[in-house]
Amino acid sequence: MSDAPARSSYRHGDLRQALIDAALDMARQGGPDAVVLREATRRAGVSPNAAYRHFADRRDLLEAASASAQGLAADAMEDALEAVHGTGDPAVDARLRVGAVGRGYLAFARHEPGLFRTAFTVPNDLSRAFDADKAGRRGRTPFQVLAESLDALHAAGVLPDERRQGAELLAWSTVHGLGMLALDGPLRGLTDEMLDGATERLLLMVDRGL
Amino acid sequence: MSDAPARSSYRHGDLRQALIDAALDMARQGGPDAVVLREATRRAGVSPNAAYRHFADRRDLLEAASASAQGLAADAMEDALEAVHGTGDPAVDARLRVGAVGRGYLAFARHEPGLFRTAFTVPNDLSRAFDADKAGRRGRTPFQVLAESLDALHAAGVLPDERRQGAELLAWSTVHGLGMLALDGPLRGLTDEMLDGATERLLLMVDRGL
DNA sequence: GTGTCATTGTGGACAGCGTACACATCCTTT
DNA sequence: AAAGGATGTGTACGCTGTCCACAATGACAC
């Protein structure tokens, strides 16, 4: 538990990113409420007020951390997507991919509950769902990953025209609800098996009901 | 903005309930994070530490407020249920009622966002989903209202045996997800019409997909 | 180089929070 | 009337987010 790395120069280098990293780390453990500005500056080896040169206030820092967390969520979704083995049948593949997106989302919720809540629980409207700072390693935000998988479903003829619009809402709501209920909500303490079962049934319902 | 009612006696009367009411009021405006213990004691006209005679800590107070909020959510669901006009056909009626439960849940989310988040976002596992302090005016908790409407669906023969178990998870996840996304999540700022549309499509999907 | 200046850091201060500890007041029971 | 538990008060502590004035730094014009 030594002090901070004691930067050599007066300037820090990249304080903004260091603060976001620290915030992300706290968020990982305790969710958005666990993000405390002073502690972030402490970890960066800097005085509390230094943070205000990079963020308007705590909320602002939290939003930056939330954006990063969304990027990590996107990565989890891309992971799941890459794990899909194509069958050659475009319609089947498109459906498999939509399912994978949902599975990836829920995997992220389960493996990184703190980050999940930080990503999707901090106010943040749709108009900014495409900001680059929310993108994962492949350059897509979670919303984009979902939307494009639905586009493919549409292109493959599985999802009829009149049901394409707003399909994001349905799909997202469903998996998001399970994630939230299983995390803080009344569904905590479900065994992994029960969650797996619920996940598959949910995805089946979406597949049929979209 | 006068001071507190200045209770006549040294004892308060029912401080516990007064604190819960104050907490509920704060939660109504700003959700769980807006519940501050000291402010609650101020509103009750009592010193900060008095709260500790009735609650272990802030979290404990918040949980009591959450339980009350769940009772109010149950009321909204019962309201929606009472608004259903029976058709005489048990199967149709059962389906209508399940839909009404979902609609009531989402109506509560929209009309009382702060209370909704207080009710369903504060950790709280299933094992305590039947506690009396979470019940509404008709004595049922939100979970019970849902579960019993699904029982009816099952009894009417609409929901086959093998799909009855865990059906709560599916139904609840779906509406809860929409509620959360529309509140703090990335779906804020949707117009009422869009929300209404999404709600109905979602309920339709559940009706078909359960 | 030297002077100027915006940028990015520090230090000290303040109010508000949750909570601990010691003490005061009241109600009930004997 | 005395005792004792329940419920309230007072004071205090460390922590938080944030404000203000000031200091160090690096970039650029001359």
Side-chain angles (χ1 to χ4, degrees):
Chain A
M1 292 296 155
S2 68
D3 267 359
R7 97 207 91 104
S8 56
S9 74
Y10 183 83
R11 298 303 174 86
H12 179 282
D14 194 358
L15 183 52
R16 182 184 163 85
Q17 192 55 50
L19 290 174
I20 294 180
D21 289 345
L24 220 43
D25 218 67
M26 294 182 260
R28 195 190 313 272
Q29 318 235 325
D33 291 352
V35 172
V36 17
L37 186 144
R38 283 180 99 111
E39 172 66 15
T41 62
R42 233 172 274 134
R43 296 192 189 186
V46 120
S47 84
N49 284 324
Y52 289 88
R53 299 294 167 191
H54 302 274
F55 302 97
D57 52 17
R58 174 185 179 273
R59 181 105 210 142
D60 197 25
L61 168 60
L62 186 57
E63 276 170 19
S66 170
S68 280
Q70 288 181 51
L72 296 174
D75 285 346
M77 295 160 81
E78 302 277 12
D79 284 347
L81 224 30
E82 285 169 13
V84 173
H85 294 292
T87 65
D89 179 337
V92 171
D93 285 3
R95 289 171 54 199
L96 283 178
R97 287 170 180 281
V98 171
V101 168
R103 241 183 305 273
Y105 190 82
L106 283 171
F108 184 68
R110 286 167 65 178
H111 297 342
E112 294 284 14
L115 293 183
F116 177 79
R117 288 167 48 213
T118 304
F120 299 111
T121 241
V122 173
N124 171 18
D125 39 278
L126 252 196
S127 60
R128 267 172 287 156
F130 299 91
D131 292 2
D133 59 344
K134 299 177 174 61
R137 60 169 189 268
R138 292 211 37 213
R140 302 194 293 175
T141 67
F143 187 78
Q144 281 176 302
V145 175
L146 171 61
E148 291 176 16
S149 82
L150 291 173
D151 284 343
L153 200 67
H154 178 224
V158 181
L159 184 62
D161 285 7
E162 73 277 12
R163 288 204 238 121
R164 172 62 189 86
Q165 202 200 15
E168 288 91 345
L169 293 202
L170 298 201
W172 198 347
S173 291
T174 311
V175 288
H176 184 73
L178 182 55
M180 289 304 293
L181 287 181
L183 257 48
D184 344 272
L187 259 49
R188 293 186 324 157
L190 254 55
T191 65
D192 278 9
E193 290 76 28
M194 294 176 72
L195 273 182
D196 284 337
T199 301
E200 294 309 318
R201 265 183 83 182
L202 209 72
L203 292 177
L204 207 74
M205 180 173 90
V206 173
D207 187 55
R208 281 196 310 230
L210 263 187
Chain B
M1 293 297 155
S2 68
D3 268 358
R7 94 208 93 103
S8 57
S9 75
Y10 183 84
R11 298 302 174 86
H12 179 281
D14 193 357
L15 182 54
R16 183 184 163 86
Q17 192 56 50
L19 291 174
I20 294 181
D21 289 346
L24 219 45
D25 220 66
M26 295 183 261
R28 194 189 312 272
Q29 317 233 327
D33 292 351
V35 173
V36 15
L37 186 144
R38 284 180 100 112
E39 172 66 15
T41 62
R42 234 171 274 135
R43 296 192 188 185
V46 118
S47 85
N49 284 324
Y52 290 88
R53 300 295 167 191
H54 301 275
F55 301 97
D57 52 17
R58 174 184 179 274
R59 180 105 210 142
D60 198 26
L61 169 60
L62 186 57
E63 275 171 18
S66 171
S68 281
Q70 288 181 53
L72 295 175
D75 285 346
M77 295 160 79
E78 301 277 11
D79 284 346
L81 224 31
E82 284 169 13
V84 173
H85 294 292
T87 65
D89 179 336
V92 172
D93 285 3
R95 290 172 52 199
L96 284 177
R97 287 170 179 281
V98 171
V101 168
R103 241 183 305 272
Y105 190 83
L106 283 172
F108 184 68
R110 286 166 66 178
H111 297 342
E112 294 284 15
L115 293 183
F116 178 79
R117 288 167 48 211
T118 305
F120 299 111
T121 242
V122 174
N124 168 19
D125 41 278
L126 252 196
S127 62
R128 268 172 284 156
F130 299 91
D131 293 0
D133 59 344
K134 298 178 175 59
R137 59 168 191 268
R138 292 208 39 210
R140 303 194 293 175
T141 67
F143 188 78
Q144 281 176 302
V145 175
L146 171 61
E148 290 176 16
S149 82
L150 290 173
D151 283 344
L153 200 65
H154 179 224
V158 180
L159 185 63
D161 285 8
E162 73 277 13
R163 287 204 240 121
R164 173 62 189 86
Q165 201 200 15
E168 287 90 346
L169 293 202
L170 298 201
W172 197 347
S173 291
T174 312
V175 289
H176 184 73
L178 182 55
M180 289 304 292
L181 287 182
L183 258 48
D184 344 271
L187 262 48
R188 292 187 324 157
L190 253 56
T191 64
D192 278 9
E193 290 75 28
M194 294 176 73
L195 273 181
D196 284 337
T199 301
E200 294 309 318
R201 266 184 83 182
L202 209 72
L203 293 177
L204 207 72
M205 179 173 90
V206 174
D207 185 55
R208 282 196 308 231
L210 264 186

